[in-house]
Amino acid sequence: MAKLGKSAQNEQEGKETVEFFKDLDREALNTERFLEKYSKPLGIAFGVLVLGVLGFFGYKQFVVAPKNAEAVKSFLAAQKNLSEGKDKEALGGKSAANPGFVGTYNDYSGTSVGQLSAYNAGLLKFKEGKFQEAYDLLDKFSSDNKTLVAMKYGAMADAKSGLNKNDEALSLLDKAATASDDPYTTYYFTRKAGILALGLKKNTEAKKYFSTIDEKYQDYDNGMSDSYIEMTKYY
């Protein structure tokens, strides 16, 4: 095909430009008509969206933030009593004047500090020998921190052992051993699970735990896993 002359080419490009802007005009007109037609429902939807965003930030600022501040204040008061050896006062839960860890959890369970209060209260209940109450409080604790979750399962296992429910304790120790990415925490609860399994005459399970230590955590074990593996053969 012969090439267009320069003037013909310019004319062609000019036509294309005009058509392009006509298309834009038509598109703009269509958009305007759409907005005209649906302005009311669009306005309502936008208003709902804005109210939702404002409501969320308002809730965070005026409800969550003050609750967090109150929870921290209550938690620190309980922690102060604990550091001074006043376990009963630290546990609290008997009066509004001294909420302690129990009251802090009851009032602010939706906050991270409230959750940590349940954990601390559970440990104090365990110290008192109230194993079921300790277990129930520890069971309420949740966290994104995997090491703390492992510690929770470990403490719950101790509570079950205190209730002479060692099979359940072993199951919880197994959870504790697999909950964390921290190698020492994993080693500690794996070893604890192995010793309990050995005491329950569950030698196959005990060997599994000690073999895991022998394969992965020798740096923490000082060769003790070999002795435990031998014990599973004769104990």
Side-chain angles (χ1 to χ4, degrees):
M1 182 183 290
K3 290 186 179 178
L4 293 174
K6 190 155 183 79
S7 60
Q9 188 177 348
N10 289 341
E11 184 179 346
Q12 180 68 24
E13 289 175 356
K15 285 180 180 178
E16 289 174 358
T17 303
V18 169
E19 287 302 319
F20 174 74
F21 281 108
K22 280 183 179 178
D23 287 342
L24 282 182
D25 288 341
R26 279 195 292 271
E27 189 65 33
L29 185 59
N30 288 339
T31 303
E32 286 171 13
R33 285 176 180 166
F34 176 83
L35 290 174
E36 248 177 59
K37 185 176 180 179
Y38 297 104
S39 61
K40 188 172 181 180
L42 282 172
I44 292 171
F46 182 71
V48 169
L49 179 63
V50 170
L51 285 174
V53 172
L54 290 176
F56 173 76
F57 283 109
Y59 175 77
K60 294 283 280 185
Q61 182 175 356
F62 298 112
V63 178
V64 175
K67 275 198 169 187
N68 279 331
E70 291 164 13
V72 169
K73 184 178 178 181
S74 182
F75 177 86
L76 289 176
Q79 192 67 33
K80 182 174 183 293
N81 282 324
L82 184 63
S83 67
E84 294 173 355
K86 301 174 182 176
D87 288 1
K88 288 186 178 179
E89 289 84 350
L91 188 60
K94 294 183 178 179
S95 73
N98 179 42
F101 290 126
V102 171
T104 303
Y105 169 75
N106 289 337
D107 293 339
Y108 308 106
S109 60
T111 68
S112 297
V113 173
Q115 287 288 308
L116 191 57
S117 294
Y119 179 83
N120 285 0
L123 295 182
L124 285 171
K125 285 289 185 182
F126 180 85
K127 191 175 178 181
E128 288 183 351
K130 296 177 179 176
F131 302 124
Q132 188 60 55
E133 289 181 51
Y135 178 90
D136 292 339
L137 281 162
L138 289 163
D139 195 32
K140 292 172 181 176
F141 170 72
S142 64
S143 174
D144 293 330
N145 186 305
K146 293 180 180 180
T147 300
L148 278 178
V149 171
M151 298 295 288
K152 160 193 163 171
Y153 286 132
M156 288 170 71
D158 289 342
K160 284 294 183 182
S161 287
L163 294 165
N164 294 315
K165 295 180 179 180
N166 288 313
D167 286 324
E168 292 178 42
L170 182 59
S171 177
L172 286 161
L173 284 173
D174 190 73
K175 285 185 176 182
T178 56
S180 173
D181 296 327
D182 175 63
Y184 184 79
T185 303
T186 302
Y187 155 73
Y188 176 80
F189 288 117
T190 301
R191 181 177 181 274
K192 198 166 181 177
I195 292 170
L196 181 57
L198 198 61
L200 292 171
K201 308 291 186 183
K202 295 187 176 185
N203 290 5
T204 301
E205 289 184 53
K207 185 177 179 180
K208 179 192 73 174
Y209 291 121
F210 293 124
S211 295
T212 298
I213 292 172
D214 193 47
E215 290 168 13
K216 298 180 179 179
Y217 305 108
Q218 287 186 1
D219 290 347
Y220 302 112
D221 195 52
N222 295 321
M224 288 298 296
S225 55
D226 291 336
S227 300
Y228 282 118
I229 290 170
E230 283 298 309
M231 287 177 69
T232 64
K233 299 175 183 177
Y234 309 108
Y235 184 71

